[in-house]
Structure formats: structure tokens, C-alpha cells
Amino acid sequence: MLIEVLFYVFGTILVAAALGVIVSRNPVYSALSLVLCFVTSAAIWLLVEAEFLAVVLVLVYVGAVMVLFLFVVMMLDVNLEQLREGFTRFAWLGWLTALAVIVEIVGVVWARGGLGIDASKGGSALPADYSNTLELGRVMYTKYVYPFELAAVLLLVAIVAAIALTMRKRPGHKVQDISKQVAVNARDRVRIVKMESEKRS
Amino acid sequence: MLQTLSTAWFSLPDYGRATVWILVITVALIISVALLTLVERKVIGWMQLRRGPNRVTIFGLFPGLGQPFADVVKLLMKEVIIPARANKFLFRLAPMITLIPAFAAWAVIPLSPEVVVSKADAGLLYLLSLTSMGVYGVIIAGWATNSKYAFLGAMRSAAQMVAYEIAMGFALVGVLMATRSMNLGTIVLSQSGGIGAWNWFWLFPLFVVYFISGVAETNRAPFDVAEGESEIVAGFHVEYSGMAFALFFLAEYANMILIAALTAVFFFGGWLSPFQGYPVIGDTFLGAPSFLWLGIKISVGLFMFLWFRATFPRYRYDQIMRLGWKALIPVTLVWIGVEMVLSVYKIGPWSH
């Protein structure tokens, strides 16, 4: 009972925040609504006892990705009125994407029997000593070890690519040379000029 | 009397007991913060051959002890000024966002063998995610103030916190490898066996990295460029006054206590006694695990924070970034490799 009430409370907040992402005029408010979305989704995951996933969602998306995102959004001086001109031109694309996502969700949950989950009943309570973290780790490092390692390599390639793109030689690119900075002498930078004191006239 | 109290205590449902502990921990934390501000001023005063606060007394006793409480009253009486062109909603929200993670993190910290609010299995991850949420308060405060200085401070502090979080996370991966658990209670228990069995010995580089990152995460000297008063006035909280400023202050000191407590839990055996298993002294109350030991370890950690502040000059900003990315992260990576070798040959914490 309590779980259902909590679910609907968090669900309402999640939908409201998701609407806020696309409706609000200020891009900073959009980014903050997205943060709220992630936090409430994590809360909903906690309700189905997926504590590891919930905490990792907050850790990765709220703690790292959105901080950098917010950083960028705050520094940009976005003129939303200009951006909104001709916004409805791509409405059909948006509707198409939304439809595709809905079809996929329905396909998984309903048409394919929902991965063995009976959607009409909701999750059953797990035993008290059940540890989501332990179970996930066990599966990830035994059954799915190759996909897991492949994903890791893929991410590494992405990191290398991102660094290579920003560090390439380009005009006006300034880099500190630390050893030069450390090796510098006061004598090279400051010249002390001797001057005879002048007689009082 | 005592018996009725204890029966009443054990007849409470689980969530009732948890609520009582949450209240007790929160109040204790706020009082600790008040006392810590006094201790800080006193300790730094002594280190710089001054006296520190010594005017406000409580009933004419303990010169200086009344100072933090007088400060609280002063801050409460002051007007909270909101700049005319600030974003009023976010300006008011920011101090709360800073404060909540600083207090919520205490939910998973084992204070003594019996006292812990939540024995979450992913406790370590929960802590990491909460400490990373603290940065939002700073960014939002800096942006909502609508001032260049505040925004510069917010950007500095956000970049710094994101950088040092990575070093911190890697240091905790090392702890995870040695203790084989993310549950903080289990992490403490796996270090049992006296002072030599604690993690600090086999994970010494990780302890150093963790503590330095902790100082940087809390924006304390020598990494306090986020508020560098000589360059950007006071950073993200320039325009905050009165109680709104006090909330930032409270969060900073609560985070300091948190980092000290976590260092104790991860590297110094939490509530375990250093004399555990020693021939004679181990059989007395000194050998028993209790909150006493955690309290002593937290106090030593906090003293280190104050000591750093009194002795080190402030880092330059690019040097902070270089230290985080090019010194601390490689050290943790190398030590994780060393741990792999140790665990293959079953040395140290891997021997049993």
C-alpha cells in the first residue's frame, strides 16, 4: 500500500519534471528539471529494490553528467526565442520518435510476456537477505563478462577520441610547459638596474 | 525507570527507532559543527601565537565556549538580503541543496557496533553519489546570484569537485578490493585485529589520496580557491547573508566531519579498538569496539583539517587541477595494480 502511494507520488513528480524539461523557457531550469527526473527515477527504482541501479543512476547522471551539462548551459547565452522559431517544423519527427519508444516499451512489457514479470500484479517482495548489488555483480562478471568488457573498451575508445579531438594542433592553442615554469629563474624575468643616487639640486 | 525505557525502546518498530536515531544524529551533528567552529578558531589561534575567541563565556566559565552560540544568534538576527536581479527561487533553494546531502550521508555511517541508521549494501556508492550532489548547491548559488564573482567561484569549485571525485572514487575502489564489500559495517568488521590490521597500512597511498581529495571536495584550505577572498571576494556565497550564509557554513563543516568519519571507517577501522586482541589491555574496556574510538579518530582527522588550514598557503588553480588529474589519479591506479599482485600472492588483507 505504502509502496503504491510512493510510486504514484514519485511518478507524478517524474512526469511533471519531464514536462518541465521541454516546456520551461530558461535552459537552466530545463537542466535542473532533468536532474529532478533522474533523482525521482532513482527513487522509483528503489521501490522495486534495485538499489544498485538507483544509486548508480544518481552517481553517474546526477553527480557527473548533469553537473558538466549545467556548467555548459549556464555559460552559454542562449536566446530561446530565436531557437523557438520554426520549432514546430520538426514536430512530426518528435511524434515519430515518441511513437517508436512507446511501441518498443509495449512490445517488451506486454507482447513478449514482459521478461517473466506480471505487469498487472507488480513486483513481489524479495527475501530480506537479498542483495541487488551482489546479484548484479555475479551476473555481470560471469554470464555477461564479454559484453561488459566490450562496453568498457568502447567507452575507452570514446574517451581517447574526445581527448584527441580537443588536443589537436590548432592556431591559438596554448599549453603550459610545467618543467619550463619550474625551471625559470628570477634572473631571467627581472632585471635589476643600478642607479646612482642623484644630488639634491 | 531504566527498564521501562529500554522495553519502550525495543517495543518501537524498526522505522520508529531509525527516526529517533536520525533525530539524535542530526542534533549531535549540528552541535558538533558549532563546537568545531570554536575549536578551529582556538587551534589556529594557538598555532599563530594568538588566543582565539575568549570573551563570550557560559555562566562565567570556559572563556570562548559561548562564542559559536553567540554567532548563531547574530546570524539569525541578520537580514537575508536577496540581490535585486538574482533568481529568487534558485537563490533560496541553493543553501538547502548544499545542506541536505551533507546530512543525509550520515544514514549509512556505522557509529558503533549497534548504531547505524541503514545497513545498505551499496552504502559506499550511496556516499559517493551524495557527496557528488553537494556540488549542485554551489553551482546553483553561483548562477542564481547573478554576479561575476559568484559565478567564477561556482565554476572553480564545480570543476575542482568533479576532478577530485574521480581520485576519491578510485581510492575507494582500492578499499573495496581489500574489504570485498560495499557495506560500511562489513568494511569496518573486515579490518578487525588491532591497529596493524587496519587498512591504512596496506593502502597507505590510497589513504593519502583519499584525505587530500576529501580536503579538496570540502573546498577547505589549501584548496579553497572557490572562495579565494583575495581574487573573487568570497566566491559563490558573496551575496548570501545571515542565516542563508550560515547554512552554507553548516554544510561545509558537516562535510568536514563526514570526510573525517569516512577516513576513519575506510582506513582506520571505524569503531574498532586499536588494542583489539592485545594480551592485557585488549581484555579491558579499551580493547572493546565502541563509539569512543570512532570519536577519537574523527577528532584526529578534523585536527588535520585545521592544521592544514593554519600551515599551507593556498594553491594556484591550475596547480590544483594538475595535482588532481596528473598526480592523485595515477597514484591510485598504480596502487590498484599493486593490490592485484598482493591479492594473487595472498599478502596482507588477502591472506585470510
Side-chain angles (χ1 to χ4, degrees):
Chain A
M1 182 59 206
L2 181 68
I3 297 223
E4 272 146 37
V5 171
L6 282 175
F7 172 78
Y8 283 111
V9 168
F10 284 125
T12 318
I13 297 175
L14 177 58
V15 172
L19 281 175
V21 176
I22 51 172
V23 169
S24 58
R25 290 184 169 273
N26 191 333
V28 172
Y29 277 137
S30 290
L32 287 176
S33 308
L34 196 55
V35 171
L36 187 59
C37 270
F38 285 133
V39 174
T40 40
S41 327
I44 288 176
W45 281 0
L46 274 182
L47 292 182
V48 291
E49 305 189 16
E51 55 171 23
F52 180 78
L53 288 177
V55 173
V56 167
L57 180 75
V58 173
L59 178 62
V60 174
Y61 282 93
V62 177
V65 174
M66 285 313 291
V67 171
L68 299 178
F69 207 81
L70 201 61
F71 213 69
V72 174
V73 166
M74 281 175 175
M75 295 218 273
L76 292 176
D77 193 16
V78 190
N79 189 348
L80 264 188
E81 291 308 308
Q82 221 170 29
L83 268 177
R84 269 164 199 267
E85 276 175 28
F87 198 62
T88 46
R89 254 191 315 157
F90 300 108
W92 61 272
L93 195 65
W95 285 115
L96 208 67
T97 318
L99 199 70
V101 171
I102 290 171
V103 166
E104 275 178 18
I105 292 173
V106 170
V108 169
V109 174
W110 183 62
R112 286 178 54 197
L115 308 165
I117 302 163
D118 188 354
S120 62
K121 270 204 311 208
S124 55
L126 294 158
D129 57 345
Y130 171 81
S131 166
N132 182 248
T133 317
L134 188 74
E135 294 297 323
L136 261 178
R138 195 169 280 157
V139 176
M140 205 186 268
Y141 287 102
T142 53
K143 197 173 169 193
Y144 297 107
V145 66
Y146 292 120
F148 179 67
E149 297 290 330
L150 270 178
V153 171
L154 201 66
L155 283 174
L156 184 68
V157 171
I159 293 173
V160 172
I163 293 173
L165 278 177
T166 43
M167 296 296 280
R168 71 188 191 281
K169 286 266 187 305
R170 57 173 191 263
H173 186 212
K174 288 177 184 150
V175 181
Q176 276 179 307
D177 191 337
I178 305 299
S179 49
K180 262 188 195 166
Q181 281 189 342
V182 173
V184 87
N185 269 319
R187 230 174 302 143
D188 311 332
R189 293 281 175 89
V190 187
R191 192 162 54 95
I192 296 171
V193 184
K194 277 268 175 222
M195 243 184 103
E196 292 295 314
S197 55
E198 290 181 12
K199 291 249 162 60
R200 190 178 288 175
S201 55
Chain B
M1 177 65 196
L2 212 62
Q3 191 143 30
T4 43
L5 264 181
S6 82
T7 45
W9 175 246
F10 286 109
S11 66
L12 275 176
D14 271 351
Y15 57 86
R17 256 180 281 176
T19 315
V20 172
W21 275 121
I22 290 170
L23 282 177
V24 169
I25 290 173
T26 311
V27 171
L29 195 60
I30 292 174
I31 293 173
S32 314
V33 167
L35 292 177
L36 179 59
T37 58
L38 173 70
V39 170
E40 173 174 38
R41 294 169 68 181
K42 275 286 194 192
V43 166
I44 294 179
W46 288 325
M47 284 183 183
Q48 298 168 344
L49 302 182
R50 297 183 283 112
R51 279 176 188 280
N54 62 354
R55 294 289 125 177
V56 189
T57 61
I58 291 180
F59 306 121
L61 298 164
F62 309 117
L65 192 63
Q67 187 68 44
F69 304 101
D71 282 341
V72 167
V73 173
K74 181 192 77 177
L75 286 167
L76 273 172
M77 309 276 259
K78 276 191 167 181
E79 182 189 357
V80 178
I81 300 161
I82 299 179
R85 302 211 40 201
N87 186 322
K88 292 194 180 51
F89 173 65
L90 290 183
F91 190 83
R92 290 204 186 93
L93 192 70
M96 300 180 219
I97 294 181
T98 321
L99 192 66
I100 290 166
F103 278 77
W106 285 87
V108 291
I109 304 218
L111 294 173
S112 81
E114 297 85 29
V115 180
V116 52
V117 178
S118 160
K119 292 176 185 152
D121 260 334
L124 201 148
L125 282 173
Y126 169 83
L127 277 170
L128 271 179
S129 62
L130 275 184
T131 43
S132 65
M133 271 169 88
V135 69
Y136 278 98
V138 175
I139 303 185
I140 293 173
W143 186 79
T145 307
N146 201 2
S147 141
K148 284 192 184 99
Y149 293 122
F151 192 51
L152 277 172
M155 286 200 305
R156 282 182 175 193
S157 122
Q160 179 184 332
M161 280 163 108
V162 169
Y164 278 85
E165 229 156 64
I166 298 170
M168 211 173 202
F170 273 129
L172 293 187
V173 169
V175 175
L176 206 67
M177 285 171 71
T179 57
R180 298 184 206 92
S181 176
M182 288 205 279
N183 185 325
L184 268 70
T186 320
I187 288 179
V188 171
L189 274 179
S190 75
Q191 302 178 50
S192 49
I195 190 164
W198 297 346
N199 277 337
W200 67 271
F201 184 73
W202 290 101
L203 307 179
F204 190 74
L206 295 184
F207 155 63
V208 173
V209 168
Y210 184 81
F211 202 68
I212 294 176
S213 314
V215 176
E217 278 278 294
T218 45
N219 284 328
R220 293 283 303 177
F223 303 112
D224 58 344
V225 287
E227 38 194 277
E229 50 284 85
S230 53
E231 309 144 30
I232 49 171
V233 198
F236 60 93
H237 56 58
V238 201
E239 301 288 353
Y240 281 88
S241 61
M243 218 46 213
F245 167 73
L247 289 186
F248 279 119
F249 202 70
L250 194 61
E252 182 184 326
Y253 281 76
N255 273 327
M256 273 168 68
I257 303 177
L258 180 71
I259 294 289
L262 289 180
T263 313
V265 166
F266 292 141
F267 298 99
F268 291 92
W271 34 257
L272 289 172
S273 155
F275 306 115
Q276 191 188 14
Y278 279 39
V280 180
I281 200 167
D283 299 330
T284 61
F285 78 101
L286 285 174
S290 67
F291 177 71
L292 171 77
W293 295 112
L294 184 66
I296 291 174
K297 290 163 190 170
I298 293 178
S299 310
V300 172
L302 286 173
F303 182 76
M304 302 275 280
F305 269 96
L306 310 182
W307 197 1
F308 291 160
R309 181 168 172 198
T311 41
F312 289 126
R314 186 175 288 144
Y315 260 66
R316 207 171 67 200
Y317 191 71
D318 65 309
Q319 288 173 335
I320 290 185
M321 281 311 189
R322 206 168 79 236
L323 180 72
W325 288 102
K326 296 191 177 172
L328 298 187
I329 293 177
V331 166
T332 52
L333 287 176
V334 166
W335 204 257
I336 286 173
V338 172
E339 278 189 48
M340 275 195 269
V341 176
L342 290 179
S343 72
V344 167
Y345 290 101
K346 305 218 181 303
I347 305 170
W350 292 274
S351 57
H352 40 266

